Amino acid sequence: MQSIELLKKELKNLIITSLNLQNTTEQEIQEDEPLFREGLGLDSIDALELAVALEKKYSIKFEDEKLARQSFQSINTLASFIHQKKHSLSA
Amino acid sequence: MENFCAYIGERTRSKGNSILFRVDDPSEREVAWNVFEQEMDATACFLKSCQIQEKDKILCLVSRPLSWLKLFFAALKIGAIPIVGNFRDRFFLQGILSENSPAYVCSDEEKELEPFLSSSSKVILLNDFASLEKYDIYALKDADDILCALYTSGSMGKPKYIEKSYRNLITELQFLKNLLKMQQDDVVLSLVPNVHIYGMLFGLLLPIMAGAQAIYTNCLLPREVMKIARDKNVNFLIGAPIHYQAFIETNDPDQKMSHLKLAISSGGPLPARVAQKFFRLTGVNILEIYGSTETGGIAYRLWDGMVDSPSLQLFPYIEKKIEAQSEINELVIQSPAISSNVLMAENRGWHHTGDFVRFEEGNRFKIVGRQEQIMKVGGKRISTTQLEEEIKTIPGIKDVAVVRMESSSYRESGVAFVEIQENANLIRSEIQKEFQKRSANYRSIQDIIILDKIPRNPNGKILYSHLRINKTNPKIGMIIPTYNHGLILRKVVLSALEYISDILVVVDGSTDNTMEVLQNLPIKILAFPKNRGKGRALKTGFQEAKKLGWNYAITMDSDGQHKAQDIPQFLKAISENPEAIVVGDRNMELPSIPSSSKFGKKFTNFWLKVETGLSIADGQSGFRAYPIHSINAVHSWFNRYEFEVEILARSAWKGIPIISIPVQVDYHPEGKRISHFRPFMDNFRTTILNTILVTIRILMLVHGLVKKVIRKVKASCKV
């Protein structure tokens, strides 16, 4: 099982590449900062693009809209959501 | 009836308490026609009590969809001008305050109003007003007065301010109502916010005109959206390309949206792959609308699974201007739907879309390219020249060129190539930080690359396309096989160098001045001591390309019949179809084309169809793009012209997709052009090839059949 720190690093890079944020560096994304509206200032289309990319990469499914929204709050919440999903898959 | 609120009044009387608008988010809410009219009237009274007059501009900072709707229509009803947009950008407020300070700013949240407290605009907090007064007056406006204004999305850069008159909107709506055949009992589900012109027209005004029910949802997940579509018996779906892409990638077996009549896509180009797969999965056609916030819809096409890539059909009320007598023109239009403030700013009476198109019969066209300087970002246009100006203001920058990158995403972005002043010691991250600080458009630049020198042609013009190829990832190079074309070869190579920086010329034993004319060119050369054939030259070229680390090779003939201007089309096709061989389909209708070539094309295509079952538009064309790794795995026997036919058949058998794109062709009048294609001998050799290929094909089919029979026999034995 992949460590959560590694996962966060991976997520930041995925956000940067899939949303054309090459201007942003990994270090600039704060792990507890809101990803949408404030912080990186992503919008709902970004969120959808990111959701599609995450589902593909981690073979997970976002099934519940409310849960998905909560998990999209920050890198931290997103990492723990994916970690949990992967864990429950392999369990 | 030059006030949309009148439609609401009318429908209230005929539809009463049926649903007008529903917001499908976690706190689902809905409102009936009659209730909405009451609330709209109460809001109108409230606005009037705040002294708002006709033609006053009201900036609407309300984010809850239902409250937004009330404010929008109440403002229309009293004749004020609501200004709407997605106001979340940190650069946004500065922009409004400096360029366009509205008389009023209205919100239902106090904190939204704070930035305006010190401005000259009056702030209004929308209270919960209990009064349900009637407001019976509809402000009467002239059709050309401004009805409302939109700011384009600010999340990707500086928002643009666009005014819309009643005529602008109603012209398009009346046409759309007929095109979509929207009925009064239909249900429309919109995934696009109403503050976007596309969402406003399709998701709100059109349903209101038709008397249909409008649902807006900000649900993101495709499964949720499909669930709403099923539960609420949705007939029309309004989405952006990314929504459809998400749909097809969900792979949900439960995808049936049985009431759905039509899906609509706009806001960016819809990839063919997405449209075709959506149709296969759901059986629903996608109507794609091409347009912009400035112009509204310009053209449409229906993805109905019949044609691989349908042409766009101009909306009937749009007039086009053909500026030059050439096959490809910039699309320049005039229409009652174009915002007058946009036309006025352009000061020409005609709107230049920046898109290059090829017109067909009946006002149909295909988009074949775009002005180098225009990027499309989420339905908005950003000029790279403007970005260059912004970057130039950073101290220490000497020269800069912003290059638009081809992208399959709806959001294009550019790469900035910069040249630094000698004494300055700028590094990339510093430039990025500075740019981010001073520009609202910083997200439109995906990368900054420092160069020693920005390449310019002898006239000082930046070689944009050259820069673009430098940045392409995967690596794409060009192979030009040549035999005794010394007269024109240098010109051919030079024109290609304008577009692509990695060129490999394979000299196939030329006995003329070929080696001389290739001197002092920044290219790679492979030379055979004697003539071995075009096929051998290409095969050797592909092997070399692999060594050079290329992922794709574009091949072009050396006799000048192909136009380097078509190279960007290949790049685009490669990015959209990374697995495929891309074949340039030559337009053979021109009178200057020798009839032997026309025959050759038809002859080849017939055989290819027999051999592979594929309809390939132009199986003889040498203007192609090949994916290197898969093409090197395809074996072939032939080494001359037949190779190009053979390789298509064999690739098709291997399952490599083959697609066609239109290319221009320039055959010099007979006599001047030196072709080494010998009509009789080469068509004869091709016949031998075809005989062999057909034989193999038949053997393959028989083999398959035999296997099937054996399987059946085995199966029946088991029983």
Side-chain angles (χ1 to χ4, degrees):
Chain A
M1 176 60 60
Q2 178 180 35
S3 90
I4 197 125
E5 288 312 310
L6 211 67
L7 182 61
K8 284 182 195 169
K9 197 175 145 76
E10 228 175 65
L11 284 175
K12 288 183 194 174
N13 283 318
L14 186 79
I15 290 175
I16 290 171
T17 49
S18 60
L19 302 182
N20 268 353
L21 293 170
Q22 276 88 335
N23 250 334
T24 311
T25 60
E26 204 185 289
Q27 288 77 23
E28 277 170 354
I29 304 181
Q30 302 299 318
E31 293 178 1
D32 54 352
E33 188 184 55
L35 291 171
F36 295 89
R37 303 215 165 141
E38 297 139 64
L40 281 180
L42 307 181
D43 58 23
S44 61
I45 297 279
D46 292 323
L48 186 55
E49 273 184 90
L50 193 57
V52 171
L54 289 170
E55 290 198 343
K56 250 195 197 160
K57 170 142 189 167
Y58 296 103
S59 345
I60 49 164
K61 279 189 175 183
F62 290 99
E63 279 166 275
D64 184 280
E65 181 85 20
K66 220 168 159 187
L67 267 179
R69 272 170 195 272
Q70 280 166 4
S71 66
F72 268 51
Q73 264 172 10
S74 68
I75 290 288
N76 283 338
T77 54
L78 200 51
S80 61
F81 178 81
I82 292 170
H83 191 80
Q84 222 176 358
K85 276 260 175 188
K86 295 285 281 181
H87 198 73
S88 63
L89 272 181
S90 55
Chain B
M1 199 153 54
E2 265 131 51
N3 184 325
F4 283 100
C5 308
Y7 287 104
I8 296 172
E10 206 176 70
R11 294 290 174 192
T12 296
R13 280 174 283 292
S14 64
K15 298 197 72 170
N17 54 5
S18 56
I19 306 295
L20 156 66
F21 191 78
R22 188 198 299 271
V23 185
D24 232 304
D25 60 8
S27 58
E28 183 179 312
R29 270 208 59 194
E30 58 189 39
V31 65
W33 288 88
N34 51 2
V35 175
F36 183 78
E37 192 185 30
Q38 281 173 4
E39 294 186 350
M40 171 179 79
D41 282 356
T43 313
C45 290
F46 175 74
L47 294 180
K48 269 286 174 196
S49 72
C50 298
Q51 313 299 322
I52 297 179
Q53 303 294 314
E54 279 189 28
K55 298 196 180 177
D56 279 345
K57 289 180 180 168
I58 309 175
L59 186 68
C60 306
L61 292 184
V62 177
S63 47
R64 281 178 284 221
L66 273 179
S67 316
W68 183 93
L69 215 58
K70 275 187 277 180
L71 175 60
F72 180 76
F73 282 104
L76 290 187
K77 192 157 184 181
I78 66 170
I81 300 167
I83 303 178
V84 302
N86 183 5
F87 303 128
R88 298 252 172 220
D89 188 70
R90 65 193 173 104
F91 289 95
F92 184 75
L93 296 178
Q94 288 170 356
I96 298 199
L97 290 171
S98 63
E99 285 167 24
N100 191 11
S101 84
Y104 294 89
V105 181
C106 203
S107 178
D108 52 353
E109 282 174 77
E110 237 167 300
K111 73 172 200 310
E112 299 276 351
L113 294 168
E114 274 164 22
F116 289 91
L117 289 175
S118 54
S119 74
S120 59
S121 308
K122 283 186 206 136
V123 300
I124 295 177
L125 184 66
L126 275 182
N127 294 312
D128 284 331
F129 22 83
S131 82
L132 287 178
E133 282 174 74
K134 272 297 241 183
Y135 189 89
D136 280 334
I137 314 153
Y138 295 103
L140 278 180
K141 286 196 155 188
D142 187 79
D144 291 313
D145 287 343
I146 306 165
L147 199 79
C148 64
L150 301 104
Y151 270 103
T152 59
S153 162
S155 65
M156 281 302 290
K158 190 167 179 265
K160 269 190 193 172
Y161 174 75
I162 313 251
E163 292 175 338
K164 292 285 171 194
S165 69
Y166 183 80
R167 194 190 305 282
N168 290 156
L169 299 173
I170 200 72
T171 306
E172 181 164 358
L173 287 167
Q174 269 163 350
F175 170 67
L176 291 177
K177 192 166 167 255
N178 290 328
L179 182 69
L180 272 64
K181 300 186 185 67
M182 197 178 278
Q183 314 274 318
Q184 63 159 312
D185 295 317
D186 283 332
V187 180
V188 181
L189 173 61
S190 175
L191 312 174
V192 184
N194 292 327
V195 296
H196 193 289
I197 183 72
Y198 169 48
M200 180 187 278
L201 284 169
F202 285 79
L204 183 63
L205 296 179
L206 189 59
I208 283 180
M209 258 182 81
Q213 183 190 137
I215 305 178
Y216 169 73
T217 179
N218 58 4
C219 280
L220 288 176
L221 301 177
R223 286 172 207 91
E224 300 276 335
V225 173
M226 284 185 245
K227 187 169 176 302
I228 300 171
R230 278 193 302 269
D231 293 353
K232 302 291 193 290
N233 297 339
V234 166
N235 307 109
F236 292 92
L237 184 63
I238 317 294
I242 177 70
H243 293 122
Y244 296 106
Q245 195 188 328
F247 275 124
I248 63 163
E249 280 169 17
T250 299
N251 276 332
D252 202 322
D254 195 21
Q255 263 165 347
K256 278 279 164 278
M257 294 174 278
S258 49
H259 288 81
L260 197 60
K261 294 188 213 168
L262 188 65
I264 295 142
S265 172
S266 190
L270 180 70
R273 175 182 67 85
V274 174
Q276 285 155 3
K277 186 154 181 210
F278 184 83
F279 178 73
R280 278 204 303 279
L281 289 175
T282 63
V284 175
N285 299 333
I286 298 185
L287 178 73
E288 184 184 1
I289 308 284
Y290 157 78
S292 65
T293 310
E294 294 92 324
T295 55
I298 294 174
Y300 65 96
R301 57 173 160 180
L302 191 67
W303 294 90
D304 56 5
M306 308 283 279
V307 188
D308 280 351
S309 167
S311 303
L312 285 155
Q313 171 76 54
L314 211 60
F315 282 9
Y317 54 84
I318 289 182
E319 248 184 279
K320 65 173 194 279
K321 179 159 141 189
I322 308 249
E323 296 206 310
Q325 280 302 323
S326 86
E327 224 185 310
I328 293 173
N329 283 285
E330 186 185 351
L331 182 62
V332 178
I333 56 164
Q334 203 172 48
S335 132
I338 303 178
S339 302
S340 54
N341 75 318
V342 172
L343 277 182
M344 229 130 65
E346 295 201 14
N347 199 18
R348 284 177 286 199
W350 290 86
H351 178 73
H352 289 243
T353 60
D355 283 323
F356 291 108
V357 302
R358 189 197 303 265
F359 265 100
E360 298 158 5
E361 268 172 46
N363 274 338
R364 288 177 178 275
F365 63 91
K366 283 217 164 87
I367 298 178
V368 294
R370 177 127 32 90
Q371 255 188 357
E372 209 56 75
Q373 285 79 14
I374 306 286
M375 291 198 299
K376 282 189 187 169
V377 183
K380 174 176 55 177
R381 283 141 205 274
I382 295 182
S383 110
T384 55
T385 323
Q386 181 198 336
L387 295 172
E388 286 168 1
E389 292 305 318
E390 286 174 354
I391 295 172
K392 268 187 199 151
T393 63
I394 299 172
I397 301 270
K398 186 176 174 191
D399 198 2
V400 56
V402 171
V403 179
R404 184 186 79 215
M405 302 308 292
E406 294 298 335
S407 159
S408 51
S409 128
Y410 89 111
R411 185 182 11 231
E412 292 180 340
S413 60
V415 171
F417 292 88
V418 294
E419 192 179 323
I420 313 263
Q421 279 167 11
E422 280 97 51
N423 50 0
N425 211 355
L426 270 180
I427 57 166
R428 186 167 157 268
S429 60
E430 287 168 355
I431 304 175
Q432 281 175 341
K433 278 216 184 78
E434 272 306 309
F435 182 49
Q436 193 159 342
K437 242 188 262 168
R438 58 186 73 214
S439 171
N441 294 313
Y442 70 98
R443 268 187 75 188
S444 323
I445 294 290
Q446 53 155 277
D447 206 355
I448 293 177
I449 293 174
I450 299 178
L451 292 182
D452 293 341
K453 189 117 199 84
I454 302 282
R456 290 177 182 269
N457 74 6
N459 305 324
K461 231 181 97 196
I462 296 175
L463 291 167
Y464 282 103
S465 20
H466 197 137
L467 285 167
R468 178 182 316 133
I469 309 295
N470 271 330
K471 176 62 187 159
T472 50
N473 183 29
K475 205 158 164 53
I476 304 174
M478 171 167 270
I479 298 174
I480 304 179
T482 184
Y483 172 60
N484 285 351
H485 279 143
L487 276 180
I488 196 166
L489 182 62
R490 193 176 174 88
K491 209 177 134 204
V492 170
V493 174
L494 279 173
S495 70
L497 275 170
E498 293 262 326
Y499 293 88
I500 199 156
S501 53
D502 290 279
I503 295 185
L504 170 67
V505 175
V506 184
V507 181
D508 186 16
S510 293
T511 52
D512 64 353
N513 60 343
T514 291
M515 295 312 280
E516 260 166 67
V517 302
L518 289 178
Q519 272 173 18
N520 300 324
L521 287 174
I523 56 168
K524 292 170 197 72
I525 302 171
L526 277 182
F528 296 159
K530 59 176 199 182
N531 185 268
R532 298 169 72 185
K534 190 179 181 188
R536 173 57 58 194
L538 284 172
K539 281 190 259 186
T540 310
F542 295 147
Q543 296 294 339
E544 184 66 18
K546 193 183 162 203
K547 286 186 206 151
L548 292 167
W550 296 0
N551 303 96
Y552 297 87
I554 300 174
T555 61
M556 187 165 103
D557 290 353
S558 65
D559 59 359
Q561 67 163 294
H562 300 141
K563 300 275 123 209
Q565 292 93 298
D566 284 323
I567 293 172
Q569 293 308 310
F570 280 95
L571 301 180
K572 191 163 166 255
I574 292 169
S575 75
E576 286 168 4
N577 309 276
E579 304 296 323
I581 294 176
V582 184
V583 181
D585 174 20
R586 297 164 296 174
N587 180 354
M588 289 287 187
E589 302 310 315
L590 298 176
S592 63
I593 291 168
S595 51
S596 62
S597 290
K598 284 185 197 169
F599 169 72
K601 177 176 166 175
K602 282 190 186 151
F603 179 76
T604 303
N605 296 347
F606 167 73
W607 283 112
L608 270 173
K609 178 135 189 154
V610 174
E611 286 147 17
T612 65
L614 278 174
S615 288
I616 294 161
D618 186 0
Q620 270 193 337
S621 167
F623 206 177
R624 296 181 180 180
Y626 294 95
I628 293 297
H629 71 281
S630 44
I631 208 64
N632 275 334
V634 178
H635 294 287
S636 66
W637 295 350
F638 286 78
N639 285 328
R640 295 196 172 265
Y641 283 97
E642 326 78 57
F643 166 78
E644 289 184 307
V645 181
E646 185 193 8
I647 198 80
L648 285 188
R650 290 186 183 273
S651 300
W653 292 345
K654 279 203 146 214
I656 301 174
I658 297 168
I659 62 159
S660 289
I661 60 168
V663 295
Q664 302 172 69
V665 63
D666 185 7
Y667 273 105
H668 309 286
E670 209 126 10
K672 256 175 98 186
R673 176 171 170 268
I674 319 129
S675 170
H676 305 295
F677 183 85
R678 296 148 300 170
F680 176 73
M681 262 316 281
D682 286 320
N683 276 334
F684 176 66
R685 287 178 63 99
T686 306
T687 305
I688 296 176
L689 162 78
N690 286 320
T691 313
I692 296 172
L693 291 178
V694 170
T695 312
I696 297 175
R697 169 80 168 160
I698 292 170
L699 287 175
M700 277 163 62
L701 288 175
V702 171
H703 182 66
L705 204 66
V706 171
K707 264 208 227 153
K708 248 190 214 163
V709 172
I710 292 174
R711 237 181 283 136
K712 264 199 185 154
V713 173
K714 275 187 184 166
S716 58
C717 288
K718 274 181 197 158
V719 174

